[in-house]
Amino acid sequence: MGRENPAEKALCLLQSRLCDPSFIFRPLSDSSDSNYSKLKFIVSSSVTEACNNSILLLGPRGSGKVAVLELVLKDLLAEYPDMISVIKLSGLVHSDEICAFKEIARQLCVEHQLLFSKMASSDDNSQFMIAMLRECGLAHKTIIFVLDEFDLFAQGKQRLLYSLLDAMQSVTSQAVVIGVSCRMDADQLLEKRVRSRFSHRKLLFLPPSKEDIQRLMEHILSLPEDLSLPQDYVVEYNAKLQNVLTNEKFKEILNRFMNSDSTANHLFRFLFRAVCNMDLGTGFLTLENFEAAILNIQRQPKLECIKDCSILELYILVCMKRLETKEQNSYNFNAVMKEYKSIHDSFQTPDYYAHNVCLRAFEHLLQRELICFTDKKGQNQSLEFHPVKLLVSSYELHQGLKSYRSCPAILHKLMGG
Amino acid sequence: MGKEEIPKITRRTTRSSAAVSNNDVDKTKARDSHPPTLNDLLFGGENPISLDDVLSNFPGRRIQIIELLRILGPMNCPMLPLFIYGGTSTGKTSIMLQIFGHLNRPFVYSSCLTCYNPRILFESILNQLLLHRKNAANGYSSAKRCERPSDFVNLLREALTSIISNLQGNSGKLSSKKFEAQANGHMIYLIFDNLELIREWDKSSTMLPFLFNLYDMLKCLSIVLKPFSRITRRVDELSTSFSLLYQKYCEPISDQGIVPNEGMKRRLFSQLQPHIAPFLNEIFKVSSHSSIDVGATKEAKQKARTKESGGSEVLDELDFHMCTSAKYLLISAFLASRNPATLDASLLILLGPSEKSMERKETAEQELLMKGPGTFPLERLLAIFQCITSVADCSVDEEDGNDGLGVQYGDNSLMSDVLLQLSSLCNANFIVKGGSCPLEGSTRYRSTVTEDMALKVARSLKFPLSKYLYRR
């Protein structure tokens, strides 16, 4: 007890904050020319002026598009309580138009307390949707369609998009279609007839700048001074946090980290790992927590895989590398064995094993996906005759051999040669 | 892990009798009759496993266990989805389950190995969440039928909300009654095991992103997804071979209690050494992997650089029994695959077994290595078979006029018997079907036996195989 409980509560609070996208993106939305305010303006104007609209939100994964959208919708639902209904579709699940119409009908029924029948056909569902659009238009209610993974809707015949946008134009309706996509060219994917009905409004979500990142981190990681946590603990925690955040070493770590991937989501996962590492005994975040989190996140699976290999498997990998440098484009297990034998004959290595054992090691490499077959056809041949190729680059192999404990020196020599 | 009952039947029984007796046992068990409750989502039965037990069950995994416990966090703490990867038999699944047993939190486990298409996967998860068990009463059907991902998302949302409300209701009762086996917390964890197998399914390109985004789609703070995956040294394989080696290692020590010092270890090791090489090259009955090299024979590399290479004794006999005509068929298939068709006439009929060796061509040998055994039509196989058996016939008659064998060969009316043998060879995968001939559409076959095996078979028949091979 004592120190334990506030530390646990603080940990819970921090973790729940980091898992809640709408909390973390709020400070980014405060300025007047941010995407938040632009989006809010567009949607609210179409609600108040009773017109149709469509817009695309584009940006790399994890930049907060859906989070900002959720913030906007929450605020609008608070401002105009009965005038908006929201339908959410996802391209991963609903890209097929039958599923999509069913889902739209289901959500509309839930929204307006109607009975939804699972037996309704796709035609019934689409007519229901058009009828609902008309009725809502007459009653001055706006329906907002949120299409997540918009580029997946744009595959195939784009029937859903066409019928939706067509309905918006022909029927007296008030609808806003908001597409969210991580492909920056999502609007180029649309067919001509769909594109002509689509207004070419796009909002780009760019990665946050360095000042924004600093602001975000302070916003997320500082504990609030309310009654649920003891006052002196909070003050001390915040002071220590400031020390860490302004530390030069920390800034360097952060820069290196964001160089690899500068989206906001990446940062938040890093913060999550760091917060997980927080020592529950003291209850404060230290620089070591962040350093440990970096090591945990920036892993290299292939390198670890190579480090886990046995010596015979390393021999096989090195033989395959040598065959590739000799410009033999396609080779199979028997060719590798020939190379292995020639190495043994010239260098008299102590590691010369029989055919069976090598075949078993070869199969292990296949399972671990360090090598693979070059083509799938011709499966009725036995394993030894399939052409194979390496899935690790020579740099990775070099690194793996260097970091392998007790690697025979001969392998280094063979790789260098 | 858990309580496992020792099977009462230790001798071998036929399947039907085992089924009958099991039925009787089942009826007396109370477990089947009581409806599944929330506590079935826990692991480990009555008592939560202590942390020390978990750490001692998995020596060497302390760092990973502590890390996992940190990420899971204190109770009711939300977390982002977690991806655990590692080689086979490194302990991912078992550690995960034991940690959950220690924390006593409810979870839903589904393996993509047993659930081999999306529908089964979805239904298994829903069954567990809806606490529905398939038994004879409802005809082994699932609670809900769910094929498409869109249906799954909706049903999952409903099931999760009902379970979470159950959990919250339970925790309210906790203070009044003392139940040790109550589930802790308000969160349910979904565990997907063997995730990499999803890549092999159809429509895998949509399944994987769908599962990873399930967390976002449900927008429920109180569920957490944990996919597992697979990919180090295989402990299970090593353990079998190590046990044998260790026994040999300990042979000279009469007193098992003493701890050997350096000098003794060296002596023991030098005694062990001649046994190691044949162990290393042993066939994969023992599945001996050469990473034994790193463990046991590190000293060997430092001390004795010259190791006997191989030391494999080629077994001269076949391990299994085949009838004579099958053996001849196997040899003819091997010859048909190895020799080009144009040389058949010269090798088999005109010249007979030739004494002179054909000249080796470098590129031709390369081709053999790369392309593998060639295909042949059925007629060619039978023609070679006839040639060989007629030769063998003569030699058998010459040697010792053994009547028992000699009767069958060279007799055309027994061709049906030969075809039966051929089909059984195909079933045993000694001969497989290759592609079909493009002109006529008839199927071609290919032999998959290695040269060693063909030599063994030929030796058992006293057939001079090497003289019939094109290259040697």
Side-chain angles (χ1 to χ4, degrees), chain A residues 6 34 40 42 50 54 63-66 74 143 170-171 184 187 201 237 247 249 255-256 269 291 359 362 374 404:
Chain A
S34 66
K40 189 163 174 195
I42 293 176
S54 50
S63 359
K65 309 181 286 291
V66 173
K74 206 161 65 151
I143 305 187
S170 45
V171 165
M184 308 297 267
D187 56 338
R201 269 184 248 241
Y237 173 88
N247 193 343
K249 237 172 113 181
N255 278 341
R256 226 174 356 125
R269 289 190 195 249
E291 284 174 346
L359 191 56
F362 192 72
T374 45
Y404 194 92

Side-chain angles (χ1 to χ4, degrees), chain A residues 15 273 308 312 360 364 380, chain B residues 67 77 232 289-290 433:
Chain A
Q15 280 189 329
R273 278 315 285 267
D308 273 342
L312 179 58
R360 202 28 105 92
H364 283 178
N380 50 4
Chain B
E67 200 176 319
C77 202
T232 59
H289 198 270
S290 64
K433 285 200 178 137

